[in-house]
Protein backbone atom coordinates (compact mmCIF):
# COMPACT_ATOMS: atom_id res chain seq x y z
CA UNK A 1 0.00 0.00 0.00
CA UNK A 2 1.07 3.55 0.56
CA UNK A 3 3.19 2.44 3.43
CA UNK A 4 5.26 0.18 1.25
CA UNK A 5 5.69 2.93 -1.27
CA UNK A 6 6.71 5.37 1.39
CA UNK A 7 9.17 2.87 2.73
CA UNK A 8 10.63 2.37 -0.67
CA UNK A 9 10.95 6.08 -1.12
CA UNK A 10 12.71 6.44 2.18
CA UNK A 11 15.06 3.66 1.23
CA UNK A 12 15.84 5.29 -2.08
CA UNK A 13 16.41 8.68 -0.51
CA UNK A 14 18.63 7.14 2.06
CA UNK A 15 20.65 5.35 -0.57
CA UNK A 16 21.09 8.48 -2.60
CA UNK A 17 22.44 10.29 0.41
CA UNK A 18 25.15 7.70 0.54
CA UNK A 19 25.71 7.75 -3.18
CA UNK A 20 26.05 11.48 -3.27
CA UNK A 21 28.56 11.46 -0.49
CA UNK A 22 26.40 13.13 2.11
CA UNK A 23 26.59 10.18 4.44
CA UNK A 24 29.25 7.64 5.20
CA UNK A 25 29.61 4.35 7.11
CA UNK A 26 29.39 6.05 10.44
CA UNK A 27 25.72 6.63 9.78
CA UNK A 28 25.31 2.91 9.35
CA UNK A 29 26.97 2.43 12.71
CA UNK A 30 24.28 4.63 14.17
CA UNK A 31 21.58 2.66 12.47
CA UNK A 32 23.06 -0.54 13.84
CA UNK A 33 22.79 0.84 17.34
CA UNK A 34 19.08 1.25 16.95
CA UNK A 35 16.93 -1.66 18.02
CA UNK A 36 13.59 -2.46 19.52
CA UNK A 37 14.68 -1.21 22.88
CA UNK A 38 15.88 2.04 21.36
CA UNK A 39 13.76 2.49 18.27
CA UNK A 40 14.36 6.19 17.87
CA UNK A 41 18.02 6.39 18.44
CA UNK A 42 18.97 7.66 15.02
CA UNK A 43 16.20 10.21 15.07
CA UNK A 44 17.28 11.44 18.49
CA UNK A 45 20.89 11.78 17.54
CA UNK A 46 20.17 13.52 14.27
CA UNK A 47 17.79 15.90 16.00
CA UNK A 48 20.46 16.72 18.53
CA UNK A 49 22.87 17.23 15.69
CA UNK A 50 20.60 19.67 13.91
CA UNK A 51 20.07 21.66 17.03
CA UNK A 52 23.74 21.68 17.84
CA UNK A 53 24.71 22.58 14.30
CA UNK A 54 22.19 25.40 14.13
CA UNK A 55 23.73 26.88 17.21
CA UNK A 56 27.24 26.50 15.88
CA UNK A 57 26.31 27.99 12.54
CA UNK A 58 24.79 31.00 14.24
CA UNK A 59 27.97 31.49 16.18
CA UNK A 60 30.06 31.10 13.07
CA UNK A 61 27.96 33.62 11.16
CA UNK A 62 28.32 36.10 13.95
CA UNK A 63 32.03 35.59 14.00
CA UNK A 64 32.23 36.05 10.24
CA UNK A 65 30.42 39.36 10.41
CA UNK A 66 33.21 40.93 12.36
CA UNK A 67 35.59 43.22 10.57
CA UNK A 68 38.67 41.39 11.65
CA UNK A 69 38.20 37.66 11.67
CA UNK A 70 39.11 35.72 14.74
CA UNK A 71 40.46 32.62 13.08
CA UNK A 72 41.16 30.81 16.29
CA UNK A 73 37.59 31.17 17.41
CA UNK A 74 36.32 30.10 14.02
CA UNK A 75 38.64 27.14 14.07
CA UNK A 76 37.28 26.19 17.45
CA UNK A 77 33.72 26.25 16.19
CA UNK A 78 34.64 24.24 13.16
CA UNK A 79 36.41 21.70 15.30
CA UNK A 80 33.21 21.11 17.21
CA UNK A 81 31.15 21.06 14.06
CA UNK A 82 33.50 18.67 12.37
CA UNK A 83 33.50 16.42 15.40
CA UNK A 84 29.77 16.06 15.60
CA UNK A 85 29.42 15.70 11.85
CA UNK A 86 31.96 12.97 11.89
CA UNK A 87 30.18 11.21 14.72
CA UNK A 88 26.95 10.95 12.83
CA UNK A 89 28.46 10.24 9.44
CA UNK A 90 27.76 13.57 7.81
CA UNK A 91 30.54 13.12 5.33
CA UNK A 92 30.07 16.16 3.17
CA UNK A 93 29.64 18.53 6.06
CA UNK A 94 32.73 17.12 7.61
CA UNK A 95 34.68 17.69 4.41
CA UNK A 96 33.50 21.27 4.25
CA UNK A 97 34.55 21.77 7.84
CA UNK A 98 38.00 20.47 7.08
CA UNK A 99 38.32 22.87 4.18
CA UNK A 100 37.05 25.74 6.27
CA UNK A 101 39.61 24.97 8.93
CA UNK A 102 42.40 24.98 6.43
CA UNK A 103 41.37 28.44 5.40
CA UNK A 104 41.32 29.44 9.03
CA UNK A 105 44.80 28.13 9.52
CA UNK A 106 46.02 29.97 6.48
CA UNK A 107 44.29 33.10 7.66
CA UNK A 108 42.37 33.10 4.43
CA UNK A 109 39.33 35.26 5.03
CA UNK A 110 38.17 35.11 1.42
CA UNK A 111 37.99 31.33 1.43
CA UNK B 1 34.27 -3.35 47.90
CA UNK B 2 30.90 -4.88 48.45
CA UNK B 3 30.26 -5.27 44.75
CA UNK B 4 31.53 -8.63 43.62
CA UNK B 5 31.68 -7.78 39.93
CA UNK B 6 30.86 -11.33 38.98
CA UNK B 7 28.90 -10.60 35.83
CA UNK B 8 29.89 -8.43 32.95
CA UNK B 9 26.77 -6.35 33.10
CA UNK B 10 28.08 -4.99 36.39
CA UNK B 11 30.87 -3.12 34.71
CA UNK B 12 30.38 0.55 35.11
CA UNK B 13 31.91 3.01 32.70
CA UNK B 14 32.22 6.72 33.22
CA UNK B 15 32.12 8.58 29.91
CA UNK B 16 33.36 12.16 29.72
CA UNK B 17 32.76 14.34 26.68
CA UNK B 18 31.77 17.94 26.23
CA UNK B 19 29.85 17.18 23.03
CA UNK B 20 26.27 16.14 23.62
CA UNK B 21 26.16 14.12 20.44
CA UNK B 22 29.30 12.21 21.28
CA UNK B 23 27.98 11.58 24.76
CA UNK B 24 24.81 10.16 23.38
CA UNK B 25 26.71 8.03 20.95
CA UNK B 26 29.16 6.63 23.47
CA UNK B 27 26.36 5.99 25.91
CA UNK B 28 24.49 3.96 23.33
CA UNK B 29 27.61 2.09 22.32
CA UNK B 30 28.42 1.22 25.91
CA UNK B 31 24.90 0.20 26.77
CA UNK B 32 24.75 -1.99 23.71
CA UNK B 33 27.83 -3.72 25.06
CA UNK B 34 25.95 -4.28 28.32
CA UNK B 35 27.84 -1.86 30.46
CA UNK B 36 26.37 0.45 32.98
CA UNK B 37 27.06 4.01 31.87
CA UNK B 38 27.31 7.39 33.49
CA UNK B 39 28.02 10.37 31.28
CA UNK B 40 29.36 13.73 32.36
CA UNK B 41 30.29 16.71 30.29
CA UNK B 42 33.52 17.80 31.92
CA UNK B 43 36.65 16.55 33.63
CA UNK B 44 35.82 18.32 36.85
CA UNK B 45 32.41 16.69 37.00
CA UNK B 46 34.05 13.36 36.36
CA UNK B 47 36.37 13.83 39.28
CA UNK B 48 33.51 14.85 41.49
CA UNK B 49 31.62 11.75 40.49
CA UNK B 50 34.62 9.64 41.30
CA UNK B 51 34.67 11.07 44.79
CA UNK B 52 38.07 12.52 44.17
CA UNK B 53 39.71 13.95 47.22
CA UNK B 54 42.89 15.99 46.87
CA UNK B 55 44.25 15.11 50.26
CA UNK B 56 44.57 11.42 49.64
CA UNK B 57 47.11 11.74 46.86
CA UNK B 58 50.34 9.87 47.35
CA UNK B 59 49.70 8.91 50.92
CA UNK B 60 51.92 5.93 51.53
CA UNK B 61 50.56 5.21 54.96
CA UNK B 62 46.99 4.65 53.87
CA UNK B 63 45.83 1.62 55.78
CA UNK B 64 44.07 -1.26 54.06
CA UNK B 65 40.43 -0.73 53.36
CA UNK B 66 40.52 2.85 54.54
CA UNK B 67 37.25 4.65 53.86
CA UNK B 68 39.16 7.31 51.92
CA UNK B 69 39.93 4.78 49.27
CA UNK B 70 36.32 4.06 48.51
CA UNK B 71 34.86 5.94 45.62
CA UNK B 72 31.32 7.14 45.81
CA UNK B 73 30.39 4.60 43.16
CA UNK B 74 32.49 1.86 41.66
CA UNK B 75 33.79 2.75 38.23
CA UNK B 76 35.57 0.13 36.17
CA UNK B 77 36.68 2.30 33.31
CA UNK B 78 36.87 5.94 32.36
CA UNK B 79 36.54 6.89 28.74
CA UNK B 80 37.16 10.52 27.98
CA UNK B 81 37.39 12.91 25.10
CA UNK B 82 40.74 14.61 24.72
CA UNK B 83 39.65 18.07 23.58
CA UNK B 84 37.51 19.59 26.24
CA UNK B 85 37.36 23.15 27.51
CA UNK B 86 38.87 23.64 30.94
CA UNK B 87 40.23 20.29 31.96
CA UNK B 88 41.30 18.29 28.93
CA UNK B 89 41.12 14.52 28.79
CA UNK B 90 44.84 14.47 29.32
CA UNK B 91 44.54 16.56 32.47
CA UNK B 92 41.86 14.23 33.72
CA UNK B 93 44.03 11.25 32.95
CA UNK B 94 46.88 12.73 34.92
CA UNK B 95 44.70 13.50 37.88
CA UNK B 96 43.33 10.00 37.93
CA UNK B 97 46.73 8.39 37.68
CA UNK B 98 48.10 10.61 40.41
CA UNK B 99 45.37 9.66 42.82
CA UNK B 100 46.13 6.65 44.96
CA UNK B 101 42.53 5.53 44.99
CA UNK B 102 41.70 6.15 41.36
CA UNK B 103 44.86 5.18 39.53
CA UNK B 104 43.76 1.59 39.13
CA UNK B 105 40.87 2.58 36.97
CA UNK B 106 41.73 2.07 33.32
CA UNK B 107 41.43 5.25 31.29
CA UNK B 108 40.75 5.43 27.59
CA UNK B 109 41.19 8.60 25.60
CA UNK B 110 39.18 9.48 22.51
CA UNK B 111 40.04 12.10 19.98
CA UNK B 112 38.89 13.17 16.59
CA UNK B 113 42.41 14.17 15.70
CA UNK B 114 45.13 11.75 14.86
CA UNK B 115 48.14 13.41 16.41
CA UNK B 116 50.88 10.87 17.12
CA UNK B 117 52.57 12.97 19.79
CA UNK B 118 49.26 13.32 21.55
CA UNK B 119 48.64 9.60 21.42
CA UNK B 120 52.11 8.90 22.73
CA UNK B 121 51.76 11.34 25.57
CA UNK B 122 48.47 9.84 26.67
CA UNK B 123 49.72 6.30 26.55
CA UNK B 124 52.83 7.28 28.46
CA UNK B 125 50.74 8.94 31.09
CA UNK B 126 48.94 5.65 31.61
CA UNK B 127 46.02 5.55 29.22
CA UNK B 128 45.08 2.04 28.26
CA UNK B 129 43.90 2.83 24.79
CA UNK B 130 43.52 5.73 22.47
CA UNK B 131 40.47 5.64 20.25
CA UNK B 132 40.08 7.77 17.18
CA UNK B 133 36.66 9.22 16.76
CA UNK B 134 34.13 8.35 15.65
CA UNK B 135 34.22 5.43 18.03
CA UNK B 136 32.71 2.18 16.86
CA UNK B 137 31.30 -0.87 18.51
CA UNK B 138 34.33 -2.87 17.46
CA UNK B 139 36.56 -0.45 19.37
CA UNK B 140 34.61 -1.10 22.52
CA UNK B 141 35.31 -4.79 22.28
CA UNK B 142 38.87 -3.92 23.15
CA UNK B 143 37.72 -2.58 26.47
CA UNK B 144 36.56 -5.82 28.02
CA UNK B 145 40.00 -7.25 28.70
CA UNK B 146 41.05 -4.02 30.39
CA UNK B 147 38.13 -4.07 32.73
CA UNK B 148 38.62 -7.70 33.55
CA UNK B 149 42.22 -6.96 34.27
CA UNK B 150 41.39 -4.15 36.65
CA UNK B 151 41.69 -6.37 39.65
CA UNK B 152 44.92 -7.84 38.46
CA UNK B 153 46.15 -4.39 37.60
CA UNK B 154 45.36 -3.27 41.12
CA UNK B 155 47.80 -5.81 42.40
CA UNK B 156 50.43 -5.03 39.81
CA UNK B 157 50.34 -1.33 40.44
CA UNK B 158 50.55 -1.86 44.14
CA UNK B 159 53.61 -3.88 43.49
CA UNK B 160 55.20 -1.09 41.50
CA UNK B 161 54.39 1.32 44.26
CA UNK B 162 56.10 -0.96 46.73
CA UNK B 163 59.19 -1.16 44.57
CA UNK B 164 59.52 2.56 44.48
CA UNK B 165 59.20 2.85 48.22
CA UNK B 166 62.10 0.48 48.94
CA UNK B 167 60.10 -1.47 51.43
CA UNK B 168 61.57 -4.42 53.41
CA UNK B 169 58.81 -6.73 52.22
CA UNK B 170 59.72 -5.98 48.63
CA UNK B 171 61.29 -9.36 47.94
CA UNK B 172 58.21 -11.21 49.12
CA UNK B 173 55.94 -9.09 46.98
CA UNK B 174 57.92 -9.74 43.84
CA UNK B 175 57.66 -13.45 44.21
CA UNK B 176 53.99 -13.42 44.91
CA UNK B 177 52.38 -10.78 42.76
CA UNK B 178 49.03 -12.58 42.91
CA UNK B 179 48.74 -12.66 46.67
CA UNK B 180 49.93 -9.13 47.23
CA UNK B 181 47.76 -7.58 49.92
CA UNK B 182 46.29 -4.51 48.42
CA UNK B 183 45.38 -1.31 50.24
CA UNK B 184 42.83 -0.84 47.54
CA UNK B 185 39.21 -1.55 48.38
CA UNK B 186 39.70 -5.29 48.09
CA UNK B 187 40.60 -7.25 51.18
CA UNK B 188 43.52 -9.62 50.82
CA UNK B 189 42.94 -13.26 49.90
CA UNK B 190 40.25 -12.47 47.40
CA UNK B 191 39.05 -15.75 45.87
CA UNK B 192 40.06 -15.25 42.26
CA UNK B 193 41.35 -17.38 39.44
CA UNK B 194 45.12 -16.95 39.07
CA UNK B 195 45.88 -14.19 36.59
CA UNK B 196 48.07 -14.77 33.55
CA UNK B 197 51.76 -13.90 34.07
CA UNK B 198 52.60 -10.23 33.53
CA UNK B 199 54.64 -10.73 30.36
CA UNK B 200 51.62 -12.24 28.62
CA UNK B 201 49.51 -9.39 29.91
CA UNK B 202 52.00 -6.98 28.45
CA UNK B 203 51.77 -8.62 25.07
CA UNK B 204 48.04 -8.32 25.11
CA UNK B 205 48.44 -4.68 26.11
CA UNK B 206 50.71 -3.93 23.22
CA UNK B 207 48.62 -5.84 20.72
CA UNK B 208 45.55 -3.88 21.69
CA UNK B 209 47.44 -0.71 21.32
CA UNK B 210 48.63 -1.66 17.92
CA UNK B 211 45.27 -1.11 16.39
CA UNK B 212 45.00 2.39 17.77
CA UNK B 213 48.51 3.21 16.78
CA UNK B 214 48.47 1.68 13.34
CA UNK B 215 46.32 4.48 12.22
CA UNK B 216 48.81 7.09 13.16
CA UNK B 217 52.08 5.66 14.37
CA UNK B 218 54.71 3.15 13.63
CA UNK B 219 53.70 -0.16 15.20
CA UNK B 220 57.15 -0.64 16.62
CA UNK B 221 56.65 1.84 19.41
CA UNK B 222 56.30 0.57 22.88
CA UNK B 223 55.26 2.50 25.87
CA UNK B 224 58.11 3.32 28.20
CA UNK B 225 55.89 3.10 31.28
CA UNK B 226 57.25 1.48 34.35
CA UNK B 227 54.26 -0.78 34.31
CA UNK B 228 55.99 -2.41 31.42
CA UNK B 229 58.78 -3.71 33.58
CA UNK B 230 58.17 -7.37 34.24
CA UNK B 231 58.18 -7.85 37.94
CA UNK B 232 58.09 -11.60 38.13
CA UNK B 233 61.35 -12.89 39.45
Amino acid sequence: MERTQLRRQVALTRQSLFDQGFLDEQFIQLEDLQDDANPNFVEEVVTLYYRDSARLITNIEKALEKNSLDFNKLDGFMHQFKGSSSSIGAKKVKAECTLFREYCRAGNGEG
Amino acid sequence: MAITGDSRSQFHVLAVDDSLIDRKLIERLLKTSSYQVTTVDSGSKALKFLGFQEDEQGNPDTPFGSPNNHQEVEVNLIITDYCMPGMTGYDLLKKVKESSSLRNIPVVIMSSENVPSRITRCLEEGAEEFFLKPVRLSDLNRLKPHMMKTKIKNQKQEEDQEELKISEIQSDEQQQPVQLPSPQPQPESQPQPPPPPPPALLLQHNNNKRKAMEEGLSPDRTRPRYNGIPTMV
Side-chain angles (χ1 to χ4, degrees):
Chain A
M1 309 296 164
E2 280 177 32
R3 212 177 179 199
T4 320
Q5 280 206 359
L6 267 174
R7 285 217 177 138
R8 200 143 43 105
Q9 216 160 5
V10 170
L12 282 172
T13 309
R14 178 185 169 278
Q15 187 52 43
S16 77
L17 286 172
F18 282 102
D19 294 339
Q20 292 178 65
F22 285 108
L23 293 177
D24 62 25
E25 329 68 69
Q26 180 60 18
F27 192 74
I28 300 178
Q29 287 274 323
L30 288 189
E31 290 178 326
D32 287 344
L33 287 173
Q34 186 164 289
D35 56 21
D36 291 335
N38 299 273
N40 300 317
F41 178 67
V42 182
E43 189 189 332
E44 287 166 14
V45 178
V46 177
T47 307
L48 275 176
Y49 173 71
Y50 283 145
R51 216 183 298 160
D52 203 45
S53 310
R55 177 187 59 88
L56 276 169
I57 290 173
T58 308
N59 287 339
I60 293 166
E61 279 175 350
K62 271 199 219 144
L64 285 172
E65 277 162 21
K66 301 229 169 97
N67 281 332
S68 82
L69 295 178
D70 184 345
F71 288 113
N72 278 334
K73 205 170 176 191
L74 282 169
D75 192 58
F77 289 140
M78 287 328 264
H79 172 82
Q80 285 180 51
F81 201 5
K82 183 179 168 207
S84 51
S85 305
S86 164
S87 291
I88 70 155
K91 187 172 166 188
K92 226 176 194 182
V93 180
K94 178 174 143 192
E96 295 298 324
C97 290
T98 309
L99 195 54
F100 195 113
R101 289 185 85 191
E102 270 166 37
Y103 289 138
C104 286
R105 291 197 188 144
N108 182 346
E110 293 301 310
Chain B
M1 279 274 184
I3 301 168
T4 51
D6 46 336
S7 81
R8 279 191 191 179
S9 59
Q10 300 280 349
F11 282 129
H12 184 191
V13 180
L14 177 64
V16 191
D17 199 319
D18 59 322
S19 156
L20 181 53
I21 285 152
D22 287 339
R23 273 206 303 284
K24 190 152 176 80
L25 187 58
I26 197 77
E27 181 188 40
R28 189 81 273 279
L29 282 169
L30 289 166
K31 284 192 173 158
T32 298
S33 308
S34 307
Y35 299 125
Q36 228 185 310
V37 191
T38 301
T39 57
V40 293
D41 63 6
S42 72
S44 39
K45 288 200 187 136
L47 290 174
K48 219 184 280 182
F49 182 80
L50 292 163
F52 180 75
Q53 288 158 40
E54 292 271 64
D55 51 18
E56 61 182 271
Q57 272 185 43
N59 181 357
D61 300 323
T62 309
F64 296 172
S66 151
N68 277 341
N69 280 332
H70 283 280
Q71 300 146 204
E72 300 293 325
V73 199
E74 182 179 7
V75 170
N76 301 111
L77 184 124
I78 300 169
I79 181 162
T80 175
D81 186 24
Y82 185 91
C83 293
M84 294 192 292
M87 192 186 291
T88 67
Y90 180 72
D91 298 329
L92 177 60
L93 166 67
K94 266 177 60 174
K95 281 239 140 84
V96 168
K97 292 302 165 187
E98 281 164 9
S99 154
S100 52
S101 62
L102 301 177
R103 60 196 298 231
N104 313 296
I105 305 177
V107 180
V108 171
I109 311 272
M110 306 182 277
S111 178
S112 50
E113 298 182 328
N114 189 351
V115 181
S117 56
R118 179 186 292 185
I119 300 175
T120 310
R121 206 154 30 106
C122 289
L123 294 176
E124 279 174 356
E125 195 59 40
E128 299 301 319
E129 297 271 356
F130 190 101
F131 290 157
L132 281 177
K133 281 178 167 181
V135 178
R136 302 179 162 204
L137 210 50
S138 50
D139 294 325
L140 293 197
N141 290 334
R142 277 146 60 183
L143 293 181
K144 279 185 186 152
H146 291 301
M147 285 194 260
M148 300 293 268
K149 274 188 300 182
T150 301
K151 289 186 178 138
I152 302 160
K153 204 169 180 254
N154 275 351
Q155 292 162 348
K156 256 201 97 197
Q157 284 203 344
E158 275 317 302
E159 214 182 302
D160 290 345
Q161 227 175 355
E162 288 295 316
E163 274 185 55
L164 288 174
K165 278 191 324 192
I166 313 173
S167 154
E168 60 259 19
I169 48 173
Q170 194 180 0
S171 51
D172 286 347
E173 307 288 335
Q174 278 184 340
Q175 283 163 19
Q176 303 285 342
V178 177
Q179 290 163 5
L180 180 70
S182 159
Q184 294 308 313
Q186 294 164 31
E188 58 263 52
S189 60
Q190 184 89 328
Q192 281 176 19
L201 257 181
L202 265 186
L203 212 52
Q204 200 178 355
H205 246 31
N206 284 336
N207 279 339
N208 282 343
K209 230 144 265 80
R210 240 160 243 273
K211 287 186 200 150
M213 298 201 297
E214 257 165 26
E215 300 190 22
L217 287 182
S218 143
D220 292 325
R221 280 234 39 260
T222 50
R223 280 185 297 150
R225 287 201 307 161
Y226 63 74
N227 252 359
I229 300 171
T231 48
M232 287 271 274
V233 174

